[in-house]
């Protein structure tokens, strides 16, 4: 592959060129060169920028500074793609003596924190800015940074210097694979990543969780946050603060809310696929609206909600919101009524094209399994959704490609690349129905559903519903063991007497 052509430009031209780049980043993207001030010697050096795309991950901007006068060098990774709606946390168990585990590629954004609980060690976001490295490289870099000022510490505080020397022995032992440890990468921006060499299959040593950002994390990332949400300040917003809010954030929400405009309001804040699937059963008689906060930019927005009853299933609450400030849209399906006493396992034997169009309600507590592919998704993967069997398989394929980045990188071994290509081909064959296959949905809260193909659910021989008692571990994970509802069970009359 030919090296990118260098172009001498100013900073403004580079910013405009990066901002104008589309979703498809070409291989021959030019290498931008900007004259920059060296912070060590005060002379001018050069910074090179390269916009590139990591397959199935993110569009990133690589920058490398070089000073010919003093030899200072550094490099950073900036993310040029869209803001991720949720934060991410990766937890990797690294056993001793496993060098391949230490060689795993790590993308660390400028907002990510790295922790090693066994050493009570934490690398804050400002200590190591955005980087593309390996686990070993990150630990060695951290050890070198601590060791750099040891001579000065020994003169000022010998006791502290001695403690750091002892700590560096343990840290370098982890970096060389002599000690086992847990590597945690937590990024509220959702733009960090740890390689999974077993992709597209799950890695038993790697745990990935996604979470909603707190108002404090929103503010730290530079997003708009309501001061009242951060605590310690008045809930009232001053007139001066209101005047400083951009006019586009104070606009009225699109459309009107009411029985007549209910369907339109839900469709505006929700995907067409979800709205179409739900309205096959019933249309909302009343749509409620209440103030909320955007999950992407923390601006104020409105959340629309309605309650409906799905035949053969239960009462559900549909919630949809859209942000006028950034355009982010989100939809959720929440179960209505009490928590089920038992879990539910749904088994669907997919045999014909009509089975692919069956409606599927997947809650966020579901585990999905396809035995023919040896594919198993743990509880919480993909979140809750309303879709079809075909749509669920498509979502699984897209999610695997997004989460397991570097799948088709230049340095990927051919055997691993061929393994992923073979798995994706087998996944595509599910939708072409070259042979029957089985979809298993296991929901410990019994909040998921697959629509029958017959008028009576008992007449559908391809669809099997099984109820089971939850284990203590499942109740503990769901927070049910410590749930106390005694105060809610007290009759209103008894409360009044008290």
């Amino acid at each position: 592959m030919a090296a990118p052509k260098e172009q001498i430009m100013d900073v403004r031209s580079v910013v405009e060129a990066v901002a104008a780049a589309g979703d498809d980043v070409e291989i021959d993207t030019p290498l931008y060169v900007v004259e920059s001030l060296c912070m060590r010697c005060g002379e001018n050096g050069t910074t090179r920028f390269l916009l590139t795309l990591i397959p199935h991950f993110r569009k990133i901007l690589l920058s490398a500074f070089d000073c010919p006068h003093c030899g200072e060098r550094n490099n950073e990774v900036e993310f040029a793609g869209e803001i991720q709606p949720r934060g991410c946390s990766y937890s990797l168990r690294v056993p001793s003596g496993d060098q391949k585990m230490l060689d795993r590629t790590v993308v660390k954004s400028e907002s990510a924190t790295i922790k090693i609980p066994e050493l009570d060690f934490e690398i804050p976001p400002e200590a190591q800015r955005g980087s593309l490295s390996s686990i070993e490289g990150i630990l060695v870099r951290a050890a070198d940074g601590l060791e750099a000022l040891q001579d000065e510490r020994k003169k000022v505080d010998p006791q502290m210097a001695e403690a750091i020397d002892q700590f560096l022995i343990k840290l370098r032992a982890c970096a060389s694979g002599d000690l086992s440890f847990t590597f945690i990468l937590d990024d509220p921006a959702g733009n960090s990543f740890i390689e999974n060499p077993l992709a597209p299959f799950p890695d038993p040593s790697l745990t990935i969780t996604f979470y909603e950002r707190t108002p404090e994390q929103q503010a730290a990332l530079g997003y708009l946050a309501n001061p009242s949400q951060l605590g310690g300040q008045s809930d009232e917003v001053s007139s001066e603060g209101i005047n400083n809010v951009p006019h586009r954030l104070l606009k009225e929400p699109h459309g009107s809310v009411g029985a007549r405009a209910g369907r339109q309001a839900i469709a505006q804040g929700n995907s067409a696929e979800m709205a179409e699937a739900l309205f096959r059963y019933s249309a909302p008689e009343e749509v409620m609206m209440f103030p909320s906060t955007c999950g992407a930019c923390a601006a104020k927005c409105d959340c629309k909600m309605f309650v409906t009853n799905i035949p053969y299933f239960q009462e559900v609450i549909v919630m949809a919101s859209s942000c006028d400030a950034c355009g982010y849209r989100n939809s959720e399906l929440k179960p209505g009524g009490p928590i089920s006493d038992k879990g539910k396992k749904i088994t669907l034997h997919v045999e014909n094209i009509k089975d692919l169009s069956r409606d599927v309600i997947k809650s966020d507590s579901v585990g999905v399994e396809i035995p023919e592919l040896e594919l198993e998704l743990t509880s919480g993967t993909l979140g809750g959704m309303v879709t079809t069997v075909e749509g669920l398989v498509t979502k699984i394929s897209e999610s695997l490609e997004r989460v397991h980045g570097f799948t088709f990188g230049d340095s990927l071994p051919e055997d691993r690349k061929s393994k992923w290509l073979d798995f994706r081909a087998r996944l595509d064959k599910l939708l072409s129905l070259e042979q029957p296959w089985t979809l298993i949905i296991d929901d410990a809260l019994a909040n998921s559903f697959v629509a029958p193909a017959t008028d009576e659910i008992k007449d559908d021989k391809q669809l099997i519903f099984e109820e089971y008692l939850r284990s203590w571990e499942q109740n503990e994970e769901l927070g049910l063991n410590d749930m106390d509802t005694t105060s809610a069970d007290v009759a209103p009359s008894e409360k009044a007497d008290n």
Side-chain angles (χ1 to χ4, degrees):
M1 184 176 67
K5 183 180 178 182
E6 294 188 1
Q7 297 180 0
I8 306 298
M9 305 177 66
D10 55 28
V11 176
R12 179 176 181 179
S13 300
V14 172
V15 173
E16 292 176 348
V18 171
D23 294 333
D24 298 327
V25 180
E26 301 295 337
I27 296 178
D28 57 348
T29 302
L31 183 65
Y32 305 108
V33 181
V34 177
E35 193 174 22
S36 307
L37 176 67
C38 177
M39 303 307 296
R40 170 175 289 185
C41 66
E43 299 290 340
N44 282 342
T46 55
T47 301
R48 289 172 171 80
F49 296 95
L50 177 64
L51 181 66
T52 186
L53 180 68
I54 296 178
H56 311 298
F57 181 57
R58 303 281 191 275
K59 186 166 62 176
I60 64 173
L61 181 65
L62 301 174
S63 64
F65 173 79
D66 180 23
C67 178
H69 304 283
C70 65
E72 171 70 7
R73 290 185 177 183
N74 61 65
N75 58 78
E76 293 182 13
V77 176
E78 300 288 343
F79 294 89
E82 69 278 3
I83 297 172
Q84 301 305 310
R86 293 189 295 172
C88 65
S89 178
Y90 291 78
S91 179
L92 178 66
R93 296 188 301 274
V94 182
S96 59
D98 191 345
Q99 184 60 40
K100 291 185 178 180
M101 193 77 75
L102 296 172
D103 292 338
R104 292 198 181 194
T105 304
V106 177
V107 175
K108 178 191 177 298
S109 77
E110 64 276 5
S111 59
T113 301
I114 294 175
K115 301 177 183 178
I116 301 179
E118 290 81 356
L119 300 182
D120 196 20
F121 178 61
E122 178 176 320
I123 303 176
E126 60 272 10
Q128 291 190 20
R129 300 196 63 185
S131 61
L132 176 62
S133 184
S134 64
I135 294 177
E136 179 184 7
I138 288 177
L139 297 185
V140 170
R141 184 178 175 184
D144 292 342
L146 286 173
E147 195 173 23
L149 300 176
Q150 276 298 86
D151 293 338
E152 287 77 5
R153 290 193 189 99
K154 291 178 181 178
K155 299 175 183 178
V156 178
D157 192 345
Q159 187 175 358
M160 175 66 71
E162 176 65 23
I164 293 179
D165 281 336
Q166 296 298 322
F167 175 80
L168 286 173
I169 295 175
K170 297 180 181 180
L171 186 59
R172 292 195 182 277
C174 291
S176 61
D178 295 334
L179 287 180
S180 60
F181 62 97
T182 304
F183 187 87
I184 298 176
L185 178 64
D186 190 299
D187 185 8
N191 282 326
S192 294
F193 171 80
I194 295 180
E195 178 189 11
N196 175 13
L198 303 179
F201 302 103
D203 183 355
S205 301
L206 181 63
T207 303
I208 308 172
T209 56
F210 297 92
Y211 58 87
E212 299 294 334
R213 287 186 286 265
T214 64
E216 291 77 9
Q217 290 173 327
Q218 297 274 18
L221 293 174
Y223 303 150
L224 178 65
N226 188 345
S228 64
Q229 295 177 311
L230 301 178
Q233 298 189 25
S234 172
D235 292 336
E236 297 182 0
V237 180
S238 64
S239 59
E240 180 182 358
I242 294 178
N243 293 333
N244 291 334
V245 176
H247 175 68
R248 58 187 176 89
L249 299 182
L250 301 176
K251 292 191 304 183
E252 292 295 324
H254 295 301
S256 59
V257 178
R260 195 170 143 191
R263 180 163 181 162
Q264 178 184 1
I266 288 294
Q268 285 179 339
N270 208 340
S271 65
E273 177 184 353
M274 181 173 183
E276 180 183 357
L278 285 173
F279 287 126
R280 291 181 187 175
Y281 298 104
S282 63
E285 297 181 357
E286 180 182 4
V287 177
M288 293 167 282
M289 184 172 66
F290 55 90
S292 181
T293 303
C294 176
C297 68
K300 291 182 178 180
C301 63
D302 293 316
C303 181
K304 306 174 185 69
M305 179 184 73
F306 77 90
V307 180
T308 187
N309 201 328
I310 297 180
Y312 303 116
F313 185 41
Q314 64 182 36
E315 184 180 81
V316 296
I317 303 171
V318 182
M319 304 175 66
S321 60
S322 60
C323 179
D324 293 337
C326 67
Y328 174 70
R329 293 184 177 186
N330 181 46
S331 60
E332 295 182 68
L333 189 74
K334 299 292 185 181
I339 297 175
S340 174
D341 295 331
K342 297 181 179 180
K344 181 185 292 185
K345 183 178 181 180
I346 306 173
T347 303
L348 173 64
H349 298 283
V350 182
E351 300 176 355
N352 53 65
I353 195 67
K354 292 183 178 180
D355 292 329
L356 296 178
S357 60
R358 289 179 186 246
D359 294 323
V360 175
I361 296 178
K362 177 190 175 302
S363 75
D364 52 12
S365 59
V366 161
V368 179
E369 184 179 353
I370 301 178
E372 289 78 3
L373 291 184
E374 300 180 3
L375 174 65
E376 183 176 353
L377 301 182
T378 58
S379 174
T381 307
L382 299 180
M385 65 175 66
V386 177
T387 182
T388 61
V389 174
E390 180 181 8
L392 179 60
V393 174
T394 303
K395 295 284 187 182
I396 291 174
S397 178
E398 293 174 351
S399 177
L400 288 174
E401 291 189 6
R402 188 188 69 83
V403 173
H404 303 300
F406 302 101
T407 303
F408 297 110
D410 295 337
S411 61
L412 189 70
E414 286 298 326
D415 57 335
R416 286 173 52 192
K417 185 183 296 186
S418 61
K419 181 176 69 174
W420 168 258
L421 291 173
D422 176 66
F423 178 84
R424 193 170 66 174
R426 293 168 58 195
L427 197 61
D428 293 338
K429 287 181 180 179
L430 298 181
L431 302 181
S432 62
L433 287 176
E434 295 186 9
Q435 61 182 16
W437 54 280
T438 306
L439 174 66
I440 300 176
I441 296 178
D442 192 342
D443 190 350
L445 290 177
N447 289 329
S448 297
F449 175 71
V450 176
T454 57
D455 293 334
E456 293 292 334
I457 196 169
K458 62 182 179 180
D459 296 334
D460 193 339
K461 305 302 180 183
Q462 297 173 230
L463 188 60
I464 302 174
F465 290 88
E466 302 175 73
E467 291 186 335
Y468 61 88
L469 292 175
R470 289 187 292 266
S471 64
W472 186 92
E473 290 76 12
Q474 288 177 312
N475 285 330
E476 181 69 16
E477 182 180 354
L478 295 170
L480 300 179
N481 289 334
D482 299 326
M483 184 177 293
D484 185 6
T485 60
T486 55
S487 59
D489 295 335
V490 178
S493 59
E494 297 179 12
K495 293 182 179 180
D497 295 339
N498 295 333

